[in-house]
Amino acid sequence: MTNRATATLHGWLLLLPAMACLALFTHWPAVASFIESFYSTPKARRPARFVGLDNYQQMLADPIFWKALSNNFWFALGTIPTSIALALLMAVWVNDRIAARTLVRMAYFTPTILPMIAVANIWLFFYTPQYGLLEQIVGLFGGRSTNWLGSQDTALYAITIVAIWKEAGFFMIFYLAALQAIPPSLGEAAAIEGASRWTFFRRIQFPLLMPTTLFVLINAVINAFRMVDHIVVMTRGGPDNATTLLLYYIYQVGFGFWDTAYAATLTCVLLVLLALVAFVQYGWLERRTHYQ
Amino acid sequence: MSAPTQPVPATTRTDPYAPKGLSLTLESTGAILLALLWVLPLAYAVWAAFHPTEYTTRFVLTAPLTLENFTRAWAAAPFARYFLNTFILVTMILAFQLVLGTLAAYALARQDFWGRDIAFALILAQLMIMPDALIVENYRTLAKVNLIDTIPAIALPYIASAFGIFLLRQTFKTVPKELDDAARVEGANPLQVLMKVYVPLAKPTYIAYGLVSVSYHWNNFLWPLLVTNSVESRPLTVGLQVFSSADQGIDWAVICAATLMTSAPLLVGFLLFQRQFVQSFMRAGIK
């Protein structure tokens, strides 16, 4: 064998275990979802048959799908900018020599290591009507009793807040790392030029943090489509689908109603949305991000 | 935990923009208030878990302390089994992730061969297509091979981790090529070079990735909820959920005690290795 052939053989042998797993649990299921979205769900006496675009037509006519999609849009819009802004603020704070810095840093980070499923139970208590913590605080100021998770007006906000709380501290770590990587000489130079602190942040720190912002942004978008643990505990998609997100709806259709073909169709939509994120990341944002 | 994690001091020289006087006070106050808000759920869980049920919603400083909620929580669900399952699960996932990731990363970082770029792109695809999106198909695959309701079924979709492969590839690329050549001159075969040169030099990355992986899979919920339905395979997170919803009425004190027990190992680990934890997430992010 030539050298080149040997190298190729070695390379692929090293890759084989990982590639096999990825093919089996990532690539193939993605393709299979696509194929299956053109078939009907197999029943006990009726095997799956080709139905063309029927599943997609059903989806377009399904009000819950549209509800889940719009919920997911508002959930993403609520969590992404807020958690990134908070993360940046937290990082700037704990990067300075403030009082109790280590404790504050740890406090911000705790939600990251707590299981969402466990803390969702506690948030459930916070939001409980009549005697929950939030009710007690609102009561102190003479406010009206609200069923935060039981009302269509507030339920999505309530779960969005939990997600922001969960994520901000995680993103803070990346900003903190990036802030500490900025050479101190830049600050000194800016000070000599007489730049205010705000100018220094806006003109020097913030632009240098752009690659981090991009990284965090991608993570935040993916998380906006992935985070459903707290919905399972807190609302189960209710009231009246007010908190049904796309992945939760897939879970419900696939494992609640066992309509696997329709679940595959919904999965395709989720995959297309994620592919769009990837496309935007690699194709567009990457070129516009200023690297050091 | 002897990773050479030298903490980077926030200000090695005098920082002209370090807040002073009033702005320092304001900044500290804001940061501490936000920190209090951020630990509120944990603080509440500690309060409710260590006090009798009647103080769950009454915050009196003189309330008596008790451990009864913990004994009741422990008795209400087979927590010992759940702990064992979770431990087996995270160890199994991490072990496979490291072995598969090391082999793949080495090939991608240092072997020049046909199809390498395509392979890398196929691996990176997993960063976008998260396994959570493919629950329906993955469930079907595992049902076909009769693995539903087993711990390997929870682990399988995650053992090839694009993130881990990517992280190790970046680290391996920083290893000086001369070390590799020297080892080969000494007569080492590729696998020996990998084990004797690359793996020891990448130790900090292994630790960082290990912490991220363990905390992720300790906390993972949706997939384990789907593929398990018996005590023998359920991890802690699923056990906690079944236990808190199946109870008659909602006993917040017991739920809080169970919550603390579930997160205790990670919390204790975090308190002990706070610096390494934070540094490891940082390192994971910088790459």
Side-chain angles (χ1 to χ4, degrees):
Chain A
M1 265 199 297
T2 62
N3 255 350
R4 183 81 178 155
T6 325
T8 302
L9 184 68
H10 277 169
W12 280 98
L13 277 177
L14 287 166
L15 282 173
L16 185 67
M19 285 305 272
C21 285
L22 280 170
L24 205 57
F25 293 104
T26 301
H27 303 136
W28 169 244
V31 175
S33 298
F34 182 68
I35 297 171
E36 212 191 321
S37 68
F38 297 105
Y39 284 81
S40 65
T41 299
K43 298 274 160 55
R45 270 174 303 171
R46 194 156 49 85
R49 62 189 170 80
F50 185 79
V51 294
L53 290 171
D54 277 11
N55 286 320
Y56 289 93
Q57 269 162 3
Q58 182 198 341
M59 185 177 77
L60 293 178
D62 177 6
I64 304 177
F65 164 71
W66 290 109
K67 183 80 184 153
L69 208 59
S70 84
N71 283 343
N72 222 144
F73 172 75
W74 291 114
F75 179 73
L77 206 67
T79 50
I80 298 167
T82 321
S83 58
I84 293 179
L86 270 173
L88 187 54
L89 181 70
M90 287 169 166
V92 169
W93 272 345
V94 298
N95 192 37
D96 286 340
R97 294 187 170 276
I98 56 154
R101 186 172 66 175
T102 312
L103 282 176
V104 169
R105 203 184 275 189
M106 271 164 66
Y108 292 156
F109 196 64
T110 37
T112 305
I113 51 162
L114 292 171
M116 186 60 146
I117 196 74
V119 284
N121 277 318
I122 299 167
W123 278 94
L124 193 61
F125 167 75
F126 285 3
Y127 286 135
T128 307
Q130 265 93 51
Y131 61 91
L133 195 69
L134 206 55
E135 285 295 88
Q136 293 195 24
I137 295 169
V138 170
L140 278 182
F141 296 100
R144 232 156 31 87
S145 173
T146 319
N147 188 353
W148 304 98
L149 291 170
S151 154
Q152 293 219 38
D153 303 325
T154 51
L156 192 61
Y157 292 111
I159 62 149
T160 305
I161 287 171
V162 179
I164 293 170
W165 168 82
K166 177 81 179 165
E167 296 210 275
F170 180 55
F171 296 152
M172 171 200 75
I173 295 298
F174 302 111
Y175 274 124
L176 186 58
L179 277 175
Q180 297 192 345
I182 295 177
S185 54
L186 285 181
E188 287 159 14
I192 291 168
E193 297 282 323
S196 71
R197 184 163 189 242
W198 172 241
T199 311
F200 175 61
F201 174 77
R202 206 164 48 92
R203 291 291 182 78
I204 294 168
Q205 284 181 315
F206 190 68
L208 286 176
L209 292 176
M210 272 319 276
T212 312
T213 304
L214 177 65
F215 174 82
V216 165
L217 183 68
I218 299 299
N219 267 291
V221 174
I222 294 175
N223 282 350
F225 289 100
R226 182 171 67 188
M227 210 178 267
V228 291
D229 293 5
H230 61 316
I231 294 169
V232 176
V233 176
M234 295 171 71
T235 62
R236 302 207 146 262
D240 196 19
N241 294 310
T243 57
T244 298
L245 303 182
L246 198 49
L247 182 57
Y248 185 80
Y249 192 41
I250 293 173
Y251 160 70
Q252 218 175 17
V253 169
F255 297 91
F257 315 145
W258 294 102
D259 188 350
T260 50
Y262 190 41
T265 313
L266 294 167
T267 303
C268 288
V269 174
L270 181 54
L271 293 181
V272 167
L273 284 171
L274 291 170
L276 225 60
V277 176
F279 179 75
V280 171
Q281 177 195 8
Y282 296 119
W284 183 63
L285 278 175
E286 191 89 320
R287 258 182 281 141
R288 274 161 193 264
T289 308
H290 167 74
Y291 279 97
Q292 288 149 352
Chain B
M1 287 292 164
S2 56
T5 45
Q6 276 303 314
V8 185
T11 44
T12 40
R13 290 183 266 179
T14 47
D15 178 2
Y17 290 107
K20 288 181 255 334
L22 182 66
S23 66
L24 179 63
T25 317
L26 282 176
E27 203 175 300
S28 299
T29 314
I32 291 169
L33 282 178
L34 194 65
L36 289 177
L37 208 60
W38 243 245
V39 288
L40 193 63
L42 185 63
Y44 171 73
V46 173
W47 169 274
F50 285 101
H51 290 98
T53 320
E54 55 268 35
Y55 292 98
T56 303
T57 55
R58 281 177 49 214
F59 305 101
V60 195
L61 278 179
T62 52
L65 293 168
T66 175
L67 288 175
E68 198 213 340
N69 295 318
F70 287 93
T71 50
R72 277 170 58 211
W74 189 267
F79 272 101
R81 182 75 215 199
Y82 295 157
F83 267 107
L84 180 69
N85 291 343
T86 299
F87 181 76
I88 296 172
L89 175 69
V90 296
T91 320
M92 188 189 281
I93 292 180
L94 183 61
F96 276 100
Q97 279 177 339
L98 293 184
V99 173
L100 267 55
T102 302
L103 295 176
Y106 180 52
L108 293 172
R110 279 296 146 86
Q111 308 276 341
D112 185 22
F113 60 92
W114 179 86
R116 186 179 64 175
D117 294 340
I118 301 165
F120 191 44
L122 280 172
I123 289 170
L124 288 187
Q126 197 210 29
L127 288 179
M128 283 295 153
I129 309 173
M130 69 267 192
D132 303 303
L134 303 164
I135 44 180
V136 180
E137 287 303 324
N138 282 342
Y139 185 93
R140 174 169 302 172
T141 308
L142 291 161
K144 266 184 205 148
V145 288
N146 266 326
L147 276 175
I148 296 300
D149 202 23
T150 62
I151 294 174
I154 315 175
L156 275 168
Y158 296 97
I159 61 174
S161 150
F163 180 60
I165 295 171
F166 179 71
L167 215 56
L168 285 168
R169 170 185 174 269
Q170 300 299 92
T171 311
F172 287 167
K173 270 184 170 297
T174 63
V175 172
K177 193 94 177 119
E178 292 75 28
L179 285 176
D180 189 316
D181 296 337
R184 279 174 206 273
V185 171
E186 298 283 321
N189 65 40
L191 213 59
Q192 283 171 323
V193 177
L194 176 61
M195 293 311 293
K196 297 270 163 63
V197 178
Y198 287 88
V199 172
L201 285 172
K203 199 173 154 199
T205 306
Y206 282 106
I207 292 171
Y209 179 71
L211 289 170
V212 176
S213 168
V214 165
S215 66
Y216 182 88
H217 292 286
W218 190 284
N219 295 340
N220 200 12
F221 171 69
L222 187 66
W223 177 245
L225 172 75
L226 291 174
V227 289
T228 61
N229 42 40
S230 68
V231 168
E232 282 67 39
S233 59
R234 233 175 245 155
L236 275 168
T237 45
V238 181
L240 186 70
Q241 160 61 6
V242 169
F243 153 83
S244 68
S245 58
D247 234 21
Q248 67 289 354
I250 300 179
D251 189 339
W252 296 107
V254 170
I255 287 180
C256 285
T259 298
L260 285 185
M261 288 194 314
T262 306
S263 357
L266 282 187
L267 274 176
V268 171
F270 176 59
L271 289 176
L272 288 178
F273 302 111
Q274 192 252 134
R275 211 172 279 276
Q276 279 94 332
F277 243 112
V278 171
Q279 297 267 334
S280 75
F281 275 99
M282 283 182 179
R283 193 177 291 115
I286 296 167
K287 296 296 158 65

